[in-house]
Amino acid sequence: MCLQLLRRSNGHFKQKTRTNGTIPSTITLKESSDVFSQLTLTHQSSPPSAKPRIKSLVLHAEPFAGLSLPPAPYTPLEIVSKTNKALWNLLGRAEARRVYQPDDARSIGQEKSLFGVVELSKSLVLAADLGSSLQPHAWELLLTETGRLAESGMLDGTALSVAAQTLFRLRSTEFRPGNHAGSTACLQVLIAATLSRKETLPMRDLASITGWFARLIEPLKGEPRLLSLVQELVVSAAEQFPARQIAFKSISGRDVGTVCESTALLGLRCDMFLRYTSMLLRTDWDMIWPPRALVSVALCLMHFGHADRRAWRALAHRIERDLPVFLPSALTEVAEAFARTGMRAISLEAGIVHRLAGAASNLGAADVQRMCTAVTALDENDWYGGDADQETALAISLVKALPRRALDFTASALRVVFCALGRWA
């Protein structure tokens, strides 16, 4: 075997030969115009019993092409193209079903439908991903299949939740309910299907459907009939909690928080549901509450002026226990909720001050306004956090965020901020 390495040298020709077993190896170094311009490995005769070896390996001096580097990210147009292609692949099954299976899949015997619940859920997610790039013909076909499956009772809780989420994600496009006739009719069908199965649907799916439809309040302001249907759905979901609690069915804090947010968005006061939520906060210490659910409960109790001090004390304890996982903006919402209802939790206030002290740069204009509202709601002789040092630390944190957000404040927000600055002057 002969190995030749061509490289720049001092004009001398160097050659070294060594013997390894029965195969002689020769390393040759000679002058070349390029540094490491070429490395050639040639194969000489070897014994018949030896394994085949590389006959030729050439490394050139060109820059290394990084074949092991990850591929370049997709551009937005490529993402839309791939999503659109995947959607039309699924819609092709819908067209085939209309041709070869015009009747309901249950009337075909044991034959599986070409476009069922799973295909519909995947298509709806892809349609929501496309957004304004969605083609009207594709959306009309999806609405037709959604109505067919909903009227036949084949949509389960997960499919209903996906459909509700898709309508919410399309709220800023031309396909939003209230603007698109097909979407408006689909919303009515989905609400009717949910109300007819409100006692049998899993509470997780019922709460999810309720939450997505309640967030459509802005597009539905010009549709009083649709708004009344959404309100009926929210009230029905709120009334299901005590009934399922009596029946020993599972209820999670996430579901309670979602319905609390829905009732607050629509302004639907339900005293039975408020008492039930307060009871859960006071007594059920085994229930797991995600941070967003606790914030939704606090905002709901604040919105309806619920003054159960024991419930507020239990809520403060739960928030304080999970304080490290709360976002700074969520803590400002909690502080405003406690301040507007006149509830004080000194240890919670001190924890909020400590968390916001290191996150002043992450506070937005609305967050600063909420904290200023919480401070100005106190009497002149009271201190936020229990003492002057705590409120001083809070003031330093908020003052640091003011120059970065000065142009984002509204006139009413500036009034609140100036009141807080006057308190600290």
Side-chain angles (χ1 to χ4, degrees):
M1 181 165 304
C2 177
L3 180 65
Q4 288 184 335
L5 179 62
L6 305 182
R7 55 167 297 178
R8 186 185 300 272
S9 182
N10 293 327
H12 301 287
F13 179 85
K14 299 180 180 180
Q15 181 176 358
K16 181 179 179 181
T17 305
R18 67 182 180 186
T19 303
N20 185 9
T22 58
I23 304 176
S25 300
T26 301
I27 300 178
T28 303
L29 297 174
K30 60 183 296 185
E31 184 178 3
S32 175
S33 58
D34 297 328
V35 179
F36 295 108
S37 61
Q38 191 175 21
L39 171 66
T40 305
L41 178 65
T42 57
H43 174 66
Q44 289 183 346
S45 60
S46 58
S49 60
K51 295 181 179 180
R53 298 183 181 275
I54 300 176
K55 293 184 178 181
S56 178
L57 176 64
V58 178
L59 296 179
H60 296 281
E62 286 83 2
F64 177 71
L67 300 179
S68 61
L69 296 178
Y74 290 109
T75 61
L77 292 179
E78 291 176 340
I79 294 176
V80 171
S81 177
K82 291 176 69 68
T83 306
N84 209 2
K85 181 179 179 181
L87 175 61
W88 278 107
N89 286 337
L90 289 170
L91 293 181
R93 297 177 62 90
E95 294 284 358
R97 186 210 61 79
R98 295 174 62 180
V99 175
Y100 300 105
Q101 295 176 343
D103 299 328
D104 196 343
R106 292 177 297 180
S107 64
I108 308 175
Q110 299 298 325
E111 185 180 357
K112 183 180 179 181
S113 177
L114 293 175
F115 194 85
V117 178
V118 176
E119 291 78 11
L120 176 65
S121 300
K122 293 180 180 179
S123 302
L124 289 173
V125 172
L126 293 173
D129 292 340
L130 288 173
S132 57
S133 301
L134 180 63
Q135 299 179 12
H137 174 63
W139 182 238
E140 293 289 346
L141 184 56
L142 270 178
L143 293 177
T144 302
E145 294 297 325
T146 303
R148 176 184 67 85
L149 293 174
E151 292 174 354
S152 61
M154 299 177 64
L155 291 182
D156 55 2
T158 304
L160 288 171
S161 178
V162 170
Q165 183 184 14
T166 300
L167 290 177
F168 170 74
R169 293 178 63 185
L170 295 176
R171 67 191 182 280
S172 301
T173 65
E174 58 178 326
F175 307 109
R176 64 182 180 274
N179 181 68
H180 191 274
S183 301
T184 304
C186 180
L187 177 62
Q188 296 177 358
V189 171
L190 293 176
I191 293 177
T194 305
L195 288 174
S196 63
R197 302 170 55 189
K198 61 182 180 182
E199 297 180 357
T200 58
L201 282 176
M203 199 65 221
R204 178 186 60 184
D205 296 330
L206 181 59
S208 177
I209 297 168
T210 301
W212 291 122
F213 284 152
R215 296 184 183 100
L216 286 172
I217 181 174
E218 290 296 331
L220 298 181
K221 281 186 175 180
E223 300 287 340
R225 184 171 178 274
L226 287 178
L227 199 56
S228 63
L229 288 176
V230 175
Q231 293 174 350
E232 181 183 357
L233 178 61
V234 173
V235 172
S236 300
E239 293 174 348
Q240 284 296 313
F241 283 104
R244 301 200 181 200
Q245 182 87 9
I246 296 174
F248 299 100
K249 294 184 178 180
S250 61
I251 294 174
S252 67
R254 184 187 302 273
D255 303 335
V256 178
T258 302
V259 178
C260 282
E261 181 183 2
S262 302
T263 56
L265 285 174
L266 297 176
L268 299 174
R269 182 184 179 91
C270 182
D271 292 331
M272 179 186 64
F273 179 67
L274 292 176
R275 290 193 298 267
Y276 173 75
T277 305
S278 300
M279 182 269 297
L280 287 179
L281 292 173
R282 296 193 314 266
T283 61
D284 194 349
W285 293 98
D286 295 329
M287 179 176 289
I288 299 177
W289 294 81
R292 190 62 222 175
L294 291 174
V295 175
S296 299
V297 170
L299 296 178
C300 178
L301 297 180
M302 175 199 71
H303 183 79
F304 296 112
H306 194 64
D308 188 348
R309 292 188 175 275
R310 292 185 300 167
W312 281 101
R313 193 179 304 118
L315 178 61
H317 179 74
R318 293 176 187 273
I319 296 175
E320 185 179 358
R321 186 175 56 182
D322 299 333
L323 201 60
V325 299
F326 276 80
L327 295 175
S329 59
L331 292 178
T332 60
E333 292 179 303
V334 170
E336 183 185 21
F338 274 82
R340 288 187 180 275
T341 51
M343 301 295 174
R344 297 287 310 270
I346 302 300
S347 58
L348 176 60
E349 292 176 0
I352 292 176
V353 171
H354 179 71
R355 286 278 285 116
L356 295 183
S361 59
N362 297 330
L363 297 178
D367 303 328
V368 176
Q369 179 188 0
R370 295 190 195 102
M371 290 308 305
C372 292
T373 301
V375 171
T376 54
L378 301 176
D379 295 334
E380 294 183 358
N381 298 326
D382 294 334
W383 300 99
Y384 193 85
D387 54 24
D389 294 337
Q390 294 288 343
E391 186 165 337
T392 301
L394 177 63
I396 294 174
S397 302
L398 296 182
V399 169
K400 288 181 180 179
L402 286 178
R404 297 167 56 92
R405 310 298 181 187
L407 298 178
D408 299 333
F409 288 103
T410 61
S412 58
L414 284 175
R415 189 181 302 112
V416 176
V417 172
F418 287 149
C419 290
L421 292 177
R423 175 186 172 92
W424 297 328

